[in-house]
Amino acid sequence: MTHLAGHRPPDVPAGPPGAPVVEIQDLVRHFTSRRLTGRGIEKSVVRAVDGVSLSVGKGETFGIVGESGCGKTTLARIVLGLLSPSAGRVLVDGVDLAAVRGASLRSLRPRVQAVFQDPYSSLDPRMRVGRAIGEVVAYHHRAWDRARIRARTTELIEMVGLDSSKADAYPGQLSGGQRQRIGIAKAFATDPELVVADEPVSALDVSVQAQVINLLMDLQAENGVSYLVIGHGLAAMEHICDRIGVLYLGKLVEVGPASVVLSAPRHHYTAALVESAPGDGRRELSVLTGEPASARAVPSGCRFRTRCAAAQARCADDEPSLAELGPGHSAACFYPRLAPNG
Amino acid sequence: MSQTAELAGRPAQDRRERAQSVRRGRRQRNIAVWVSCAFLVLVAFAAAFPGVVAPGDPLALHPTVVLQGPGAAHLLGTDEYGRSVFALLVHGARAALVVGLVCAASGGIVGSAMGMVAGFFGGVTDQSLMRLNDILMCFPGILLALLVGAALGSSLQNEIIAVSVGTVPVYARVARGETLRVRGMLYVDSAIVAGLPRRQIISRHVLPNVLAPLVVVATLAVGVSIVLAASLSFLGLGPVGGVPDWGSLLADGETNISVAWWISTFPGIAITLVVVATNVLGDWLRDRLDVAAR
Amino acid sequence: MTPDPGARGASPLLAVRALRVSQERPGGGRRDLVREVSFEVGRGEIVCVVGESGSGKSLSVKAVMGLLGDGGPLHVAGDIEFDGRDLPELTIEQRRALRGRDIAMVFQEPLANLDPVMRIGAQVAECVRRVEPQRPRQAMPRVLELLRHVGLPDVQRVARCYPHELSGGMCQRVMIAMALAARPKLLIADEPTSALDVTVQAQILDLLTRMRDDEGMSILLVTHDLSVAAAIADSVIVMYAGRTAEVTPTSELFGRARHPYTAALLRSLPQRGRAAGKSGRLVAIGGTVPEPGQMPPGCAFAPRCDQAIDRCSQHDPPLEWSGGSAVACWVATGGEQP
């Protein structure tokens, strides 16, 4: 029986060999708000990220899947240095991004760049896109002259599959797909080691999504860059990710190779996600009952137990941690699903 | 039931009428803009070249024609010293416009900077700046200008300072609101992630996107400043000596209002028209900039 | 040009033929935003209109509902028949009576379509009382029944809540409850699950399927997600650049799609269940969707189509029906020999 007590959880789920590009250790982020109500001052804590550890190796694509409220956007913002964590470390090349400030933070920034979800608000509407890219290039290469900056800008624009004449366009003159390509060009302007992509194709037309996915994969093959992808569509995530982590209410409930996690999930939430997603012409979508719990009122013990068909008494008392169930594949569950073929 | 409510349809005849009235409204607005523009140009010209529009010394006394009503000889009548009201108005235009523009500009720079810094940095900076702004907002513009004017004494310079302080709160509020909006935009996050220094982000990304509404506030602030300055002068806190500005003219006419209504009335009309004209222009500017931003 | 009568057995509930929505151009003349749209919704059937942005799917559906406003800048032409009645011929009052009664609509952003300062129970009661005028209190049993019907838990508490206190999925159920108040024959849903999580989406789709199965309600669902259509639709209408590209029963969709756009779209979607390791490149469709003002001559998809022949860039192919399916493509209907 695959009944594993949560013994000796690995600190950081194993990734490919070699020094990881980014290592996230026990990251926590709580948002506290105090409200004055009829009963006095009420304090409510949103436990957006509640202890996440993972590592991304060189040239690897690590995907995070989860639904709204799971904390994936908060996680992305912390890794990007846009938000400081309540606890935990984000190690980029051994330096804790969360602990540095000011100029030392700025010197780390080139290594971790972002591609955002919304191609419409991620570009300054009043700045020509060439200039927006050039600005980033110029800041990180203070010694370069204008010609060299312009050459590099052109190189970046062509690298993402656009004609160099687009440099003079304003964002409003470009389509969603083209804007997203410019966003990608800007991300690569600093030659980053890690690109955090927050739902990079969700806002694009379906017929354009494949183009951008291909672009991201081509760029990875050429540059050896690592990706941390926050994603939505399970099929796309399976396609582009090496490993996937499933986030639920601020904690990773399952981590492992993408195809394994999505085709043979061991955690019940992952299974629910996989079986709810329409696709392949299946007519039966498994339906998860109940509402997603709120990060404001996290259930005791296993946070998924309120919606889990396999929940038992123990699940309310103890909280399971990630336990290795297969090579590089771990799940946080006292009664995980059976592996296929025993 | 916003969307499930139906859009009322109308038969074809109504459709034509509606289109016509829309066109009429638009034409009326355009006429208003042109007229305001033309009027302001005239006033500016009068302010720049008063000698051309109303030759002669406006302050010269002409005891023989005191308190004459408006007519052929004196366009807008004369005051108790026999001075032409028209000439006084024309020569006082400069002070009015200068005060309006300078106060709108200086108040704008200080107020906008305050609002932008508060909006961008948030936290304690935001709280303290906005509480300061709240203190300024507690006082109605005129009272604020009065306090400053009374504290500093009567002079053109002090009047400008007082009126500028009166316009700061509105700028600060608008600037802060717009900065907060822009701050939430992903392109600001993108610039931060790219490692650009905050100084550069504010000047290159926040400022251009915040400017449009501030320009609109500025045009409206010109009108407000003119009224504030005139009020200060009316209360005797304005500059003394030289050509009386429009507010002083209003005050002067007050004593004789029962026998010579024109001395107060025409300066009042002049102030009103200039303020209305700047407001119309400000509205038009806002509409144009809104469309452009979209 | 029109579907074979009797292809669906009984007469269809909704029949749209040659729908066209055009806009006046500033320089005079008309620009078509939507053209040549024809489809049918049978009784007790779920039909999905699938298309990307710019395909005209939402506009077509709004035109069918008469929501584009007469006398406005948009001009609607074509035959729209509902339950045997000709919709464009109805007066405003008659159309208003039809909406919210026999036809009901549900939209994409549930939170945006609910009054934020009104309790849920009151809003649903408004819909109930439109159908049966009565006192608010008298309407409450029916309100609670509707909320229960759409699967909301603890309906007494929900009825007292304000919209912002409910989740997106719950709000969407409330919208469906409001739509069901008049026991409509046809429910039109415009991207009802696009703003929702995948597990919540599954619940809503399940609810819609149950309504078709239990009550014989017809549903016209607009979506950009082909897989949603594949999961619940009986037939699928694929739209591209403002016109119908293909109408097909769902069973024929995967593997037997006739229009090159549909086939290319299906090919470009990442497929689940690949073998271990990262997959190769996706088969992407080059180019972008043309803007309404910049339509290429002939078939709008021709510039991006890998099967295009000369005729495709000269003449816009008509929608050819055979039985219950249709396709607008020269190559698919064996047009001119290449």
Side-chain angles (χ1 to χ4, degrees), chain C residues 172-243:
Chain C
Q172 196 61 294
R173 289 176 195 269
V174 169
M175 293 297 295
I176 295 175
M178 285 164 70
L180 292 182
R183 298 174 221 272
K185 299 198 178 108
L186 174 67
L187 177 69
I188 301 185
D190 191 352
E191 305 252 27
T193 56
S194 303
L196 304 175
D197 283 327
V198 71
T199 49
V200 180
Q201 172 176 272
Q203 295 173 338
I204 300 290
L205 293 180
D206 178 66
L207 171 63
L208 293 176
T209 318
R210 264 195 299 121
M211 285 180 348
R212 179 217 32 207
D213 293 337
D214 296 344
E215 282 150 62
M217 198 166 76
S218 304
I219 302 180
L220 180 65
L221 193 112
V222 177
T223 178
H224 66 274
D225 193 342
L226 255 180
S227 41
V228 165
I232 68 166
D234 297 308
S235 81
V236 175
I237 300 156
V238 180
M239 288 191 65
Y240 182 78
R243 67 160 300 176

Side-chain angles (χ1 to χ4, degrees), chain B:
Chain B
M1 295 222 299
S2 39
Q3 282 238 10
T4 43
E6 41 284 322
L7 300 169
R10 280 177 212 204
Q13 188 207 8
D14 266 3
R15 184 203 323 177
R16 272 198 302 276
E17 284 176 16
R18 273 208 313 172
Q20 275 172 1
S21 80
V22 165
R23 275 197 293 269
R24 220 179 304 134
R26 216 179 292 151
R27 222 180 305 137
Q28 280 170 350
R29 230 212 342 207
N30 279 339
I31 294 178
V33 173
W34 280 115
V35 166
S36 306
C37 229
F39 176 72
L40 286 176
V41 165
L42 279 178
V43 173
F45 183 77
F49 307 108
V52 172
V53 182
D57 179 9
L59 296 175
L61 309 176
H62 300 285
T64 52
V65 287
V66 294
L67 297 178
Q68 298 280 319
H74 307 280
L75 263 174
L76 300 179
T78 60
D79 66 356
E80 68 264 34
Y81 301 112
R83 304 182 294 192
S84 159
V85 172
F86 176 71
L88 287 172
L89 266 185
V90 167
H91 285 261
R94 179 181 300 179
L97 279 192
V98 162
V99 166
L101 290 171
V102 169
C103 294
S106 56
I109 292 174
V110 171
S112 305
M114 232 171 95
M116 273 174 51
V117 165
F120 189 84
F121 290 98
V124 177
T125 320
D126 184 13
Q127 295 298 316
S128 35
L129 281 176
M130 282 303 113
R131 294 298 80 78
L132 179 62
N133 200 46
D134 285 346
I135 293 176
L136 287 179
M137 278 185 102
C138 279
F139 301 91
I142 175 65
L143 194 56
L144 195 54
L146 248 178
L147 287 173
V148 177
L152 295 179
S154 322
S155 79
L156 183 61
Q157 190 184 350
N158 292 338
E159 183 183 73
I160 288 181
I161 294 177
V163 173
S164 304
V165 169
T167 64
V168 158
V170 133
Y171 281 105
R173 286 256 128 177
V174 171
R176 177 177 178 272
E178 283 298 300
T179 304
L180 284 177
R181 176 186 67 86
V182 168
R183 184 74 181 73
M185 289 276 150
L186 285 177
Y187 57 84
V188 171
D189 281 342
S190 178
I192 296 177
V193 168
L196 300 179
R198 278 189 297 217
R199 210 180 333 113
Q200 191 173 333
I201 298 178
I202 294 183
S203 61
R204 293 231 201 128
H205 292 281
V206 177
L207 189 55
N209 285 294
V210 161
L211 216 47
L214 289 176
V215 165
V216 173
V217 173
T219 47
L220 301 179
V222 168
V224 168
S225 305
I226 293 180
V227 170
L228 278 181
S231 313
L232 279 184
S233 303
F234 179 82
L235 294 170
L237 290 168
V240 284
V243 180
D245 69 10
W246 293 355
S248 311
L249 277 177
L250 263 173
D252 291 344
E254 191 208 350
T255 43
N256 290 315
I257 196 139
S258 42
V259 299
W261 55 268
W262 50 90
I263 310 179
S264 279
T265 310
F266 289 116
I269 293 178
I271 297 174
T272 309
L273 287 179
V274 169
V275 171
V276 166
T278 51
N279 279 7
V280 167
L281 271 188
D283 271 354
W284 172 82
L285 204 58
R286 182 196 57 213
D287 290 343
R288 288 298 305 265
L289 288 174
D290 258 352
V291 170
R294 222 165 285 129

Side-chain angles (χ1 to χ4, degrees), chain A residues 67-68 205 207 211 218 288, chain C residues 52-53 197 199 203 281 285:
Chain A
E67 300 181 294
S68 48
D205 280 335
S207 65
Q211 296 175 11
D218 288 343
L288 196 64
Chain C
E52 315 178 63
S53 63
D197 283 327
T199 49
Q203 295 173 338
R281 306 182 92 240
I285 312 177

Side-chain angles (χ1 to χ4, degrees), chain C residues 69-93:
Chain C
D70 303 315
L74 297 177
H75 182 77
V76 177
D79 292 324
I80 308 168
E81 221 180 78
F82 177 77
D83 209 7
R85 299 155 78 186
D86 199 1
L87 285 192
E89 290 298 308
L90 298 179
T91 66
I92 308 303
E93 284 71 36

